């Protein structure tokens, strides 16, 4: 435990200082390790939590899963009442941080890249009969080598029944703590009806993340009556859409005021590709029959672009490391401002290299 | 397969766990062939328990063990063996994940088959609780907290009634719980309270117990009055607390 040296304190932009007093995060490096790889050490005071089982279950998931695009847990130990978790450091932060730097949304190519990697992660989980149930922008991290990591396995559930050991086609498990992910939950989970839900619900969450990244904010955020209108909208069958010039209605222009006019201007300018629209549509369809599975999406034209580089996720990550390698050495001092610049550059390079592959 | 578990890759280990667990559940007529097989070769179970010593395979072994424990006959073999006491070391391991997995298995052993377990605790009362006492005094905060909670659950289970009556007549146990009440961790205090209340609520307290309570009467009343006053929404807790204060303050009258 004394092998880690603290380099810096990490603080999420926009979070008040007193909020993370008992869950501090620190940037650390392992003194035994000569490569100076950076890690994030999260310190949680177990004294503040009445139920320890959640943490234990969470940690056991980390230990059971091992994939390129899933967050791994390097170390966990206990000092006094404080649990220390050491995870790889994702220098670009989470997708929430990304949106913080790009309030109007991020570029389509980057979203395609993120989606492709997330699909790999979901594919891996699905092969092991595990549902993630927590796919949301704050649980998706971007590393400086271009790798995308899915984190937070506290909502994971196995499709193998703990009672008879059989594989279930649908599950009916509705725990209270799922409400943390309410904005991203598929309508069939919210319904809690006799039909249950399955892997397709993770696909819905994925679609709403894609939408959120493109639009700059979650479709159901800031609704007039808070969660109630969101639930109503989902139950009514409304689906999140990509906001670009094709979707812009006169009503929206008329309703825009000083605060939102810049956003509307931005929407007027941009136009997302047909593939992206169809990708989101096939993810967030409220009817299960018309929603795609993870396998269907892996062959979808929207994510086909990065697919051309290689079929092997290992190689994709290596290519990405090469693409982004040029600014690996760059020191990041101020998170929120540099994220912006670096990502802009990453998009440009990403585009140009992709073009060269088209030959 | 279990002998070589350490040698295969990460993903293959999980496959082995899946195969093992499915074999256990396989049913031919009314018989479970795999269960019979393991009953004849209990070495398999002990190998699994030993797996906790190897960090690479500890969690896989834990999953298989818990699957075995679901079967009463297999749980019985483990409880009656000396290997069971290895768990007292495993749950105190410094690696958090292995220690908590071992604890989950330990807890399953003690709670899954209630009558079997009650019988076990009665027969091995002395050995078990002298070991358990070390868990409650463990350096490891999580071990302390979880074992205290489990103790409360075990004692309050009506299957373990005779164990409970035996436990609450021992003044050393009371002293330990009263020390735990003073711990600086609020959660440990709270769990200790649930064990402590059994001592006080016992209608026929032996002299040694009531003497301790009597000696600390004023301190206890003062302590309990200011004990976790922020738990206003927990009615049951507050009722129990008031009951304990009443019981303790009435102690003297019985004596006089």
């Amino acid at each position: 435990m004394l092998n880690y040296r603290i380099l810096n304190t990490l603080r999420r932009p926009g979070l008040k200082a007193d909020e993370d007093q008992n869950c501090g995060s620190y940037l650390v490096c392992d003194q035994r390790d000569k490569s100076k790889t950076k890690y994030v050490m999260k310190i949680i005071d177990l004294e503040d939590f009445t139920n320890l089982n959640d943490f234990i279950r969470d940690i056991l998931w980390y230990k059971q899963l091992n994939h390129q695009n899933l967050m791994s847990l390097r170390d966990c130990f206990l000092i006094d009442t404080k649990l220390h978790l050491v995870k790889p450091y994702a220098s670009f932060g989470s997708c929430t941080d990304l949106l913080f730097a790009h309030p109007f949304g991020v570029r389509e190519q980057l979203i395609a890249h993120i989606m492709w990697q997330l699909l790999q992660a979901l594919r891996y989980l699905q092969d092991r009969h595990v549902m993630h149930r927590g796919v949301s922008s704050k649980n998706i991290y971007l590393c400086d080598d271009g790798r995308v990591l899915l984190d937070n396995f506290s909502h994971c559930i196995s499709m193998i029944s703990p009672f008879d050991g059989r594989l279930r086609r649908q599950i009916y498990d509705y725990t209270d703590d799922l409400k943390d992910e309410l904005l991203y939950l598929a309508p069939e989970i919210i319904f809690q009806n006799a039909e249950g839900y399955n892997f397709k619900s993770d696909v819905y969450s994925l679609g709403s993340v894609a939408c959120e990244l493109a639009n700059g904010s979650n479709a159901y955020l800031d609704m007039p009556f808070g969660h109630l209108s969101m639930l109503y909208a989902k139950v009514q069958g409304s689906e999140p859409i990509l906001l670009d010039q094709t979707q812009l209605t006169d009503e929206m222009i008329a309703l825009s005021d000083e605060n939102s006019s810049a956003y509307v201007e931005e929407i007027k300018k941009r136009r997302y590709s047909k593939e992206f629209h169809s990708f989101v549509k096939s993810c967030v369809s409220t009817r299960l029959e018309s929603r795609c599975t993870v396998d269907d999406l892996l062959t979808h034209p929207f994510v086909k672009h990065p697919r051309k580089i290689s079929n092997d996720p290992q190689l994709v990550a290596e290519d990405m490391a090469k693409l982004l390698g040029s600014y690996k050495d760059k020191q990041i001092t101020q998170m929120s401002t540099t994220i912006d610049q670096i990502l802009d550059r990453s998009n440009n390079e990403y585009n140009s290299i992709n073009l060269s592959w088209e030959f | 397969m279990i002998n070589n578990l350490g040698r295969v890759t990460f993903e293959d280990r999980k496959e082995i766990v899946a195969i093992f667990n499915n074999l256990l559940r396989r049913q031919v007529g009314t018989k479970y062939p795999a269960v019979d097989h393991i009953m004849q070769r209990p070495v398999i179970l002990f190998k699994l328990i030993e797996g906790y010593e190897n960090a690479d395979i500890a969690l896989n072994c834990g999953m298989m063990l818990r699957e075995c424990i679901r079967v009463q006959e297999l749980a019985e073999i483990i409880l009656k063996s000396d290997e069971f006491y290895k768990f007292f070391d495993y749950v105190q391991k410094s690696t958090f994940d292995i220690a908590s997995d071992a604890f989950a298995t330990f807890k399953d052993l003690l709670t899954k088959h209630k009558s079997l377990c009650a019988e076990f605790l009665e027969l091995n009362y002395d050995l078990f609780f002298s070991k358990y006492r070390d868990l409650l005094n463990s350096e490891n905060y999580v071990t302390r907290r979880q074992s205290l909670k489990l103790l409360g659950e075990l004692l309050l289970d009506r299957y373990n009634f005779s164990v409970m009556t035996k436990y609450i007549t021992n003044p050393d146990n009371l002293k330990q719980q009263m020390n735990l009440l003073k711990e600086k961790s609020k959660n440990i205090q709270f769990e200790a309270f649930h064990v402590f209340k059994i001592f006080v609520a016992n209608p026929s307290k032996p002299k040694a117990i009531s003497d301790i309570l009597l000696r600390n009467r004023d301190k206890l009343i003062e302590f309990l009055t200011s004990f976790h006053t922020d738990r206003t929404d927990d009615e049951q807790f507050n009722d129990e607390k008031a009951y304990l204060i009443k019981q303790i303050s009435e102690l003297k009258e019985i004596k006089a």
Side-chain angles (χ1 to χ4, degrees):
Chain A
M1 57 188 90
L2 299 169
N3 289 313
Y4 293 101
R5 197 159 54 91
I6 293 181
L7 302 172
N8 208 343
T9 314
L10 293 178
R11 187 158 291 158
R12 205 167 279 289
L15 199 69
K16 281 183 221 91
D18 54 311
E19 272 179 61
D20 53 5
Q21 229 167 27
N22 46 32
C23 298
S25 292
Y26 300 94
L27 190 62
V28 295
C29 72
D30 191 341
Q31 288 180 322
R32 291 165 298 186
D33 183 7
K34 288 197 178 68
S35 68
K36 291 256 155 59
T37 318
K38 287 175 190 157
Y39 298 97
V40 175
M41 183 163 74
K42 201 169 172 211
I43 302 178
I44 303 162
D45 193 351
L46 294 178
E47 190 55 27
D48 298 333
F49 296 90
T50 44
N51 195 351
L52 298 181
N53 288 339
D54 293 349
F55 289 101
I56 294 167
R57 209 179 43 210
D58 202 14
I59 288 167
L60 293 183
W61 277 117
Y62 279 111
K63 295 282 161 177
Q64 284 174 53
L65 302 168
N66 178 14
H67 185 263
Q68 283 276 90
N69 298 116
L70 290 175
M71 187 64 104
S72 56
L73 188 66
R74 186 183 152 86
D75 215 347
C76 65
F77 50 87
L78 198 68
I79 300 177
D80 200 17
T81 64
K82 293 184 177 66
L83 179 64
H84 293 60
L85 301 174
V86 182
K87 297 179 188 176
Y89 172 54
S91 54
F92 295 127
S94 71
C95 283
T96 313
D97 299 329
L98 190 64
L99 286 174
F100 193 76
H102 299 260
F104 294 156
V106 294
R107 277 159 216 257
E108 193 180 321
Q109 283 85 359
L110 183 66
I111 300 174
H113 170 70
I114 294 173
M115 286 301 131
W116 165 246
Q117 301 219 19
L118 287 178
L119 283 170
Q120 300 294 327
L122 288 179
R123 179 79 244 245
Y124 173 89
L125 290 174
Q126 193 174 333
D127 282 347
R128 277 142 199 86
H129 313 299
V130 175
M131 251 191 88
H132 187 274
R133 301 197 297 179
V135 181
S136 67
S137 55
K138 69 175 186 297
N139 294 334
I140 299 165
Y141 289 88
L142 306 172
C143 294
D144 55 3
D145 59 357
R147 215 145 52 96
V148 178
L149 295 175
L150 184 61
D151 193 11
N152 189 353
F153 304 127
S154 51
H155 302 300
C156 273
I157 189 166
S158 173
M159 297 293 275
I160 297 172
S161 160
F163 302 109
D164 57 7
R166 261 166 242 232
L167 196 61
R168 293 173 289 183
R169 202 171 284 273
Q170 308 287 345
I171 48 175
Y172 309 94
D173 185 279
Y174 307 103
T175 38
D176 199 31
D177 54 351
L178 273 180
K179 67 177 182 291
D180 303 344
E181 313 293 340
L182 208 52
L183 280 174
Y184 301 91
L185 281 187
E188 65 270 16
I189 301 186
I190 292 171
F191 282 151
Q192 308 200 356
N193 63 12
E195 271 148 49
Y197 57 95
N198 58 18
F199 291 116
K200 283 191 172 179
S201 308
D202 273 347
V203 172
Y204 181 93
S205 309
L206 186 76
S208 46
V209 170
C211 228
E212 178 177 345
L213 286 173
N215 295 343
S217 65
N218 191 292
Y220 297 110
L221 204 64
D222 295 332
M223 287 186 90
F225 299 102
H227 286 333
L228 206 60
S229 352
M230 185 261 299
L231 292 176
Y232 186 67
K234 280 196 184 177
V235 171
Q236 288 288 304
S238 98
E239 297 167 7
I241 47 162
L242 290 172
L243 293 172
D244 68 358
Q245 48 178 264
T246 57
Q247 301 294 330
L248 199 65
T249 55
D250 292 335
E251 190 189 6
M252 280 173 71
I253 299 168
L255 279 175
S256 74
D257 51 27
E258 279 163 34
N259 295 324
S260 60
S261 59
Y263 186 43
V264 172
E265 281 307 305
E266 175 71 26
I267 294 173
K268 262 190 210 160
K269 267 188 287 176
R270 69 184 173 199
R271 189 187 180 108
Y272 290 117
S273 67
K274 264 212 312 284
E275 290 82 21
F276 193 15
H277 277 288
S278 113
F279 178 84
V280 169
K281 226 183 162 65
S282 42
C283 281
V284 298
S285 166
T286 30
R287 288 185 311 130
L288 277 178
E289 316 84 78
S290 46
R291 195 183 306 161
C292 287
T293 62
V294 172
D295 292 313
D296 298 340
L297 289 174
L298 281 169
T299 55
H300 193 277
F302 176 59
V303 290
K304 226 175 176 174
H305 227 50
R307 237 170 81 89
K308 268 186 192 155
I309 301 173
S310 160
N311 270 321
D312 185 351
Q314 176 80 39
L315 290 174
V316 171
E318 273 169 23
D319 283 332
M320 288 310 299
K322 264 182 243 153
L323 302 181
L324 301 165
S326 53
Y327 36 86
K328 216 175 184 179
D329 305 324
K330 199 177 151 74
Q331 275 296 320
I332 306 161
T333 41
Q334 284 220 311
M335 286 284 281
S336 53
T337 52
T338 47
I339 276 180
D340 194 28
Q341 296 162 3
I342 292 168
L343 273 173
D344 271 359
R345 282 223 278 151
S346 94
N347 282 330
N348 292 336
E349 290 201 21
Y350 188 65
N351 288 344
S352 57
I353 304 246
N354 248 351
L355 282 174
S356 70
W357 244 292
E358 295 284 310
F359 289 112
Chain B
M1 276 202 299
I2 292 157
N3 281 332
N4 292 317
L5 199 56
R7 282 184 223 154
V8 298
T9 63
F10 179 82
E11 293 293 337
D12 291 339
R13 263 180 238 145
K14 287 193 293 188
E15 297 294 341
I16 291 179
V17 174
I19 294 171
F20 182 89
N21 290 353
N22 274 318
L23 275 178
L24 265 186
R25 288 167 190 266
R26 203 171 73 95
Q27 192 174 4
V28 179
T30 53
K31 298 191 85 124
Y32 292 86
V35 174
D36 294 340
H37 177 82
I38 296 174
M39 274 172 73
Q40 262 143 47
R41 293 173 189 73
V43 158
I44 296 176
L45 292 174
F46 306 144
K47 268 263 181 300
L48 287 176
I49 297 176
E50 253 168 56
Y52 274 115
E53 277 158 39
N54 179 348
D56 289 336
I57 62 169
L59 300 184
N60 306 97
C61 287
M63 286 166 90
M64 289 190 268
L65 263 180
R66 280 196 293 278
E67 194 67 36
C68 291
I69 291 167
R70 291 160 53 95
V71 183
Q72 178 152 353
E73 291 82 5
L74 299 183
E76 195 174 347
I77 296 176
I78 298 178
L79 280 177
K80 287 188 174 155
S81 67
D82 294 335
E83 271 78 1
F84 171 70
Y85 295 97
K86 286 187 178 171
F87 276 103
F88 287 95
D89 298 326
Y90 296 154
V91 297
Q92 299 194 61
K93 271 191 182 280
S94 59
T95 32
F96 180 77
D97 48 332
I98 298 177
S100 38
D101 192 81
F103 196 88
T105 314
F106 180 70
K107 187 176 172 181
D108 272 7
L109 270 171
L110 292 172
T111 49
K112 271 269 149 75
H113 309 286
K114 292 195 189 296
S115 51
L116 170 74
C117 184
E119 191 190 328
F120 162 77
L121 290 178
E122 274 169 56
L123 285 174
N124 303 287
Y125 178 86
D126 293 323
L127 184 56
F128 180 83
F129 280 100
S130 73
K131 288 260 189 188
Y132 208 96
R133 177 179 290 278
D134 297 337
L135 288 190
L136 296 179
N137 288 328
S138 163
E139 294 265 294
N140 184 323
Y141 163 77
V142 173
T143 310
R144 219 160 54 226
R145 189 167 150 186
Q146 284 190 307
S147 52
L148 187 57
K149 187 166 183 201
L150 177 60
L151 177 68
E153 283 169 23
L154 284 177
L155 292 181
L156 288 172
D157 198 318
R158 61 190 170 82
Y159 280 94
N160 299 325
F161 184 75
S162 60
V163 175
M164 188 259 282
T165 37
K166 199 163 174 185
Y167 185 85
I168 58 170
T169 50
N170 184 342
D172 288 335
N173 290 335
L174 176 63
K175 281 181 205 155
Q176 187 179 32
Q177 293 302 326
M178 283 168 66
N179 283 330
L180 286 170
L181 272 181
K182 303 190 300 192
E183 276 248 3
K184 66 172 188 285
S185 154
K186 285 248 168 197
N187 286 299
I188 289 186
Q189 286 178 357
F190 187 63
E191 297 298 345
F193 173 83
H194 285 299
V195 181
F196 175 73
K197 73 184 180 196
I198 315 174
F199 286 93
V200 182
N202 181 6
S204 51
K205 287 185 261 300
K207 188 161 181 330
I209 297 282
S210 49
D211 279 353
I212 296 177
L213 291 176
L214 203 56
R215 260 195 304 265
N216 301 293
R217 199 179 72 123
D218 296 335
K219 268 188 236 155
L220 274 173
I221 292 174
E222 194 182 332
F223 179 80
L224 286 174
T225 316
S226 56
F227 185 70
H228 288 220
T229 39
D230 50 337
R231 273 181 212 268
T232 43
D233 48 344
D234 189 345
E235 253 179 60
Q236 198 191 347
F237 167 75
N238 284 318
D239 287 350
E240 285 174 354
K241 197 171 84 172
Y243 177 72
L244 289 197
I245 294 173
K246 186 165 158 278
Q247 283 287 318
I248 294 172
S249 54
E250 279 170 5
L251 267 179
K252 202 175 184 178
E253 290 154 33
I254 303 164
K255 196 122 201 248

